[in-house]
Amino acid sequence: MKLNRAFTKRELVLLLIGAALLIALFYWRVAYIPLQDELASYDKTDVEAQIAQEQAKAAQIKKMQDALANNEAVSVGEIATYDNLTNEINELNTIVSGTTSFNFDFKDPYMQGTTVRRDIDLTFTAANLSAAESVISQLYGCKYRLLIGNMTLQDADGSSNLQNGPVTADVSVTFFETTVGAQDLSGLMVMDDSGNLVTQDEYQKEEASGQEGTSSSSNASN
């Protein structure tokens, strides 16, 4: 005897609801409960401590940067006659003598008017934030006129403890010299009115061309 009966709409709805409940129960037992147990047992202490360390580090760095910004970034040292590179290197060596490591990256000098600018990227590692501040302070009090530009500080050992741990600093420095009284300016690049670095011959041609253009305009107006 063969029975064959189609389900009514009500029975189909009840079957679908039952299937949905079984799926939900399976997810709750297999996925949701283990996840909640894991979250409940997760220790947030380390994360909170790390956040606090990062906030303290940011505050320490900002304090140092604000102190530098509140003072004029340009030191009051003398503007030496070009080429003063040897003396500037000696001064820098003295300033960073107390650091654990350092590196100087000297850029090619260039002149603008009678002023020569010599850009340097200075990287050093100090014992702690206080030692790094001492180096920056000595830079500001350098014998020769300089500008302290961009500065970044970070912990050197990943501890986020700038007060007691080693600190690595990247500082951009620009020394100022003068062409007045200089004996030899050969090879020195010039920054033109457009902010481009050109040779002295190219700059003289630009100046001559500009003067000719001004003269022509003046004659035309007359």
Side-chain angles (χ1 to χ4, degrees):
M1 180 177 169
K2 184 177 180 181
L3 296 177
N4 187 8
R5 185 177 68 85
F7 290 105
T8 66
K9 290 183 177 180
R10 184 172 181 276
E11 289 172 335
L12 287 173
V13 170
L14 291 175
L15 286 173
L16 290 174
I17 293 174
L21 289 174
L22 286 175
I23 294 174
L25 179 62
F26 176 81
Y27 170 79
W28 177 77
R29 186 66 186 87
V30 175
Y32 181 77
I33 290 180
L35 177 61
Q36 293 303 311
D37 291 341
E38 184 178 352
L39 291 175
S41 62
Y42 185 69
D43 187 3
K44 298 181 181 179
T45 304
D46 292 341
V47 175
E48 293 173 350
Q50 184 176 0
I51 292 174
Q53 288 178 341
E54 290 298 325
Q55 290 175 339
K57 180 175 72 172
Q60 291 168 348
I61 293 175
K62 188 176 187 305
K63 179 181 178 181
M64 185 174 177
Q65 291 175 330
D66 288 345
L68 187 63
N70 289 334
N71 296 294
E72 290 189 7
V74 180
S75 69
V76 295
E78 67 173 281
I79 301 180
T81 302
Y82 178 81
D83 180 9
N84 193 46
L85 177 59
T86 299
N87 292 327
E88 291 162 0
I89 292 176
N90 290 338
E91 281 292 303
L92 288 176
N93 281 325
T94 299
I95 290 172
V96 300
S97 60
T99 63
T100 56
S101 65
F102 61 88
N103 181 70
F104 305 141
D105 183 12
F106 286 84
K107 311 300 181 182
D108 292 332
Y110 61 90
M111 61 180 174
Q112 189 173 22
T114 60
T115 300
V116 177
R117 298 171 184 261
R118 191 187 301 276
D119 297 328
I120 305 168
D121 290 332
L122 167 61
T123 302
F124 67 86
T125 300
N128 48 46
L129 181 62
S130 178
E133 288 177 338
S134 176
V135 173
I136 301 301
S137 177
Q138 290 180 68
L139 278 174
Y140 180 72
C142 181
K143 176 180 179 181
Y144 301 107
R145 183 74 59 87
L146 58 79
L147 168 69
I148 300 175
N150 296 329
M151 176 181 63
T152 59
L153 297 172
Q154 60 183 355
D155 53 282
D157 60 358
S159 65
S160 297
N161 188 349
L162 298 181
Q163 288 290 0
N164 301 316
V167 176
T168 296
D170 292 310
V171 187
S172 62
V173 176
T174 300
F175 277 101
F176 295 95
E177 302 170 18
T178 178
T179 60
V180 178
Q183 297 181 355
D184 185 8
L185 300 178
S186 58
L188 192 59
M189 300 294 286
V190 182
M191 178 173 285
D192 62 16
D193 296 336
S194 300
N196 300 315
L197 292 181
V198 298
T199 64
Q200 295 181 47
D201 288 342
E202 290 172 334
Y203 182 72
Q204 290 174 357
K205 291 179 181 178
E206 288 182 3
E207 288 289 288
S209 176
Q211 291 176 0
E212 289 178 0
T214 302
S215 177
S216 297
S217 298
S218 176
N219 292 332
S221 63
N222 290 336

